[in-house]
Amino acid sequence: MGPKPCWELGIMSSHTRIILVDRDHPDPEIVADAAFVIRQGGLVAFATETVYGLGANATDPSAVAKIYAAKGRPAFNPLIVHTDTIERARSCVIDWDDRAERLATKFWPGPLTLVLPRSKLIPDLTAGGLSTVGVRIPAPAIARALINAADCPIAAPSANRSNRISPTQASHVHDDLNGRIDLILDSGPTTVGLESTVLDLVSDRPRILRPGSVLRDQICETLGIEIEEFDPNRESARPVSPGNLPIHYAPHTPCILIKPSELPQIDLSNCALIQFGPGQAETVGKVGLNFHLLDHCQAGRELYATLHLCDQAHVRMILIVTPPEGPEWVAVRDRVTRASTPFSRKVAADLKA
Ligand code: AMP
Ligand code: MG
């Protein structure tokens, strides 16, 4: 049994077409249909392993302009370009060096984006006006088949309105973008759930611009050098990586980051509580919704769907207990930090019983 199509969930669109397609063995006719939309300069949302991407022909500025318009995304925020082969990725960049070759061989297809100086194939708009471009090969067969059939690199930011929670299911895309895009390919929930690790390879010292499920240690080991841990406060990360804006992955509902010790100070009625990590979750009184994501894989996979659920449930407040320390939790910590504001005396007063 495959995933349930959106129309069985009662959310069929009158504007945007939604087609169910197997993630691992996509029907070639459906792929050809979607590739035709891309070739015509249209927008197709499809599953990658990280989140659903909103795809357009990366080499066509008027197609790419539609991505910015549909998302309401500022034009200075660069798009990640997805390809099906290393050869096509190389055609998007210049200076493909030994480091890029090693990382691509090791981690592609997979959730690692490499930022390199861009070639003439990639227009200004795709790169947000930068001289560089981020490229990667996504893992699911559906994503690679679409790129292969369209026969062009596909620019695909997350398929959500700018600054909202990223979509990990086709229904999330539909809720945010129905009527604004041509087609959604529904291949069920994504498997990784958090956006890719973005690695800047432009200078001699590679830098992590956005943490993801490919970890710093794995990159260091592959390159045989030490690189700095991701630092959200590093000013220099900001202009080249607007994904690092402080509030970027936010739910509609007010969302507060708290320490376990702060829990007893809070009236949890009609709130959602999200806790992470192995071991016993804090037991709490009359909470509205209670989630416990046990390990970093489950947390990555389910975080955004959990936040979407909390929004739909119209709880008063989402309280996220700070995830554990440890390198495998860096990406989850980064996203929950950007989705929330820290607990403060004012918040405590607002939340008092
Ligand atoms: P999204 O499209 O929302 O998944 O986010 C893509 C993010 O990747 C951007 O917001 C940037 O943080 C990062 N990115 C993409 N291309 C580049 C680039 N050329 N230079 C630096 N960061 C990039
Ligand atoms: Mg995004």
Side-chain angles (χ1 to χ4, degrees):
M1 260 284 285
K4 264 190 181 250
C6 280
W7 52 85
E8 275 188 22
L9 302 172
I11 52 169
M12 175 135 170
S13 156
S14 56
H15 306 280
T16 298
R17 280 194 300 149
I18 305 168
I19 303 178
L20 187 69
V21 59
D22 193 284
R23 183 190 63 198
D24 302 319
H25 303 284
D27 178 336
E29 273 185 34
I30 296 174
V31 172
D33 184 3
F36 182 72
V37 176
I38 296 279
R39 294 296 320 168
Q40 297 290 104
L43 300 183
V44 177
F46 63 96
T48 76
E49 72 278 53
T50 60
V51 302
Y52 271 73
L54 180 57
N57 180 349
T59 67
D60 175 353
S62 58
V64 168
K66 293 181 192 166
I67 292 183
Y68 286 96
K71 281 178 66 80
R73 181 173 172 118
F76 62 79
N77 196 348
L79 309 178
I80 291 174
V81 170
H82 296 73
T83 70
D84 52 341
T85 61
I86 292 186
E87 199 187 348
R88 204 190 296 277
R90 288 183 66 155
S91 73
C92 299
V93 305
I94 48 178
D95 295 345
W96 181 268
D97 58 19
D98 179 54
R99 300 171 307 172
E101 182 66 28
R102 274 202 228 175
L103 291 165
T105 308
K106 170 96 184 187
F107 295 107
W108 288 358
L112 176 66
T113 297
L114 302 179
V115 174
L116 286 160
R118 73 179 144 108
S119 73
K120 289 205 176 73
L121 192 61
I122 301 300
D124 280 354
L125 194 58
T126 304
L130 299 172
S131 59
T132 56
V133 64
V135 286
R136 80 176 187 100
I137 302 182
I142 176 57
R144 285 182 285 142
L146 177 64
I147 300 162
N148 180 265
D151 196 22
C152 61
I154 293 187
S158 50
N160 55 287
R161 297 285 198 108
S162 197
N163 290 337
R164 306 254 57 110
I165 313 165
S166 296
T168 54
Q169 300 170 18
S171 62
H172 299 156
V173 181
H174 179 276
D175 290 347
D176 237 19
L177 295 174
N178 180 32
R180 305 174 73 88
I181 65 177
D182 299 293
L183 177 63
I184 299 170
L185 296 177
D186 180 354
S187 304
T190 61
T191 52
V192 174
L194 294 184
E195 298 83 351
S196 59
T197 304
V198 178
L199 183 70
D200 182 357
L201 280 183
V202 174
S203 74
D204 288 343
R205 290 170 61 90
R207 285 185 313 157
I208 293 177
L209 301 178
R210 177 173 73 185
S213 64
V214 173
L215 304 181
R216 184 191 77 117
D217 282 358
Q218 295 174 282
I219 296 169
C220 291
E221 197 182 307
T222 308
L223 295 180
I225 56 167
E226 276 300 306
I227 62 169
E228 282 167 45
E229 188 52 272
F230 168 72
D231 176 4
N233 298 316
R234 189 181 49 214
E235 266 314 304
S236 61
R238 297 248 165 102
V240 288
S241 195
N244 287 337
L245 292 171
I247 293 282
H248 189 69
Y249 304 97
H252 294 282
T253 314
C255 188
I256 312 293
L257 194 61
I258 57 171
K259 300 191 192 77
S261 59
E262 291 163 339
L263 259 177
Q265 303 174 47
I266 299 170
D267 168 18
L268 293 163
S269 59
N270 201 20
C271 286
L273 179 67
I274 306 176
Q275 300 183 71
F276 300 97
Q280 204 61 36
E282 296 289 323
T283 46
V284 288
K286 40 174 184 158
V287 62
L289 286 173
N290 203 353
F291 300 94
H292 184 195
L293 305 178
L294 286 170
D295 59 49
H296 69 278
C297 292
Q298 187 196 7
R301 200 167 53 240
E302 295 180 17
L303 175 65
Y304 291 145
T306 305
L307 294 176
H308 278 285
L309 267 179
C310 294
D311 264 350
Q312 284 158 5
H314 298 291
V315 291
R316 190 160 59 92
M317 190 86 61
I318 303 169
L319 297 157
I320 303 184
V321 181
T322 312
E325 295 295 316
E328 70 279 23
W329 287 94
V330 169
V332 174
R333 279 205 304 275
D334 174 64
R335 301 310 190 277
V336 300
T337 305
R338 287 178 208 294
S340 61
T341 48
F343 186 68
S344 66
R345 263 203 223 146
K346 162 141 188 9
V347 171
D350 290 350
L351 289 173
K352 264 251 143 57

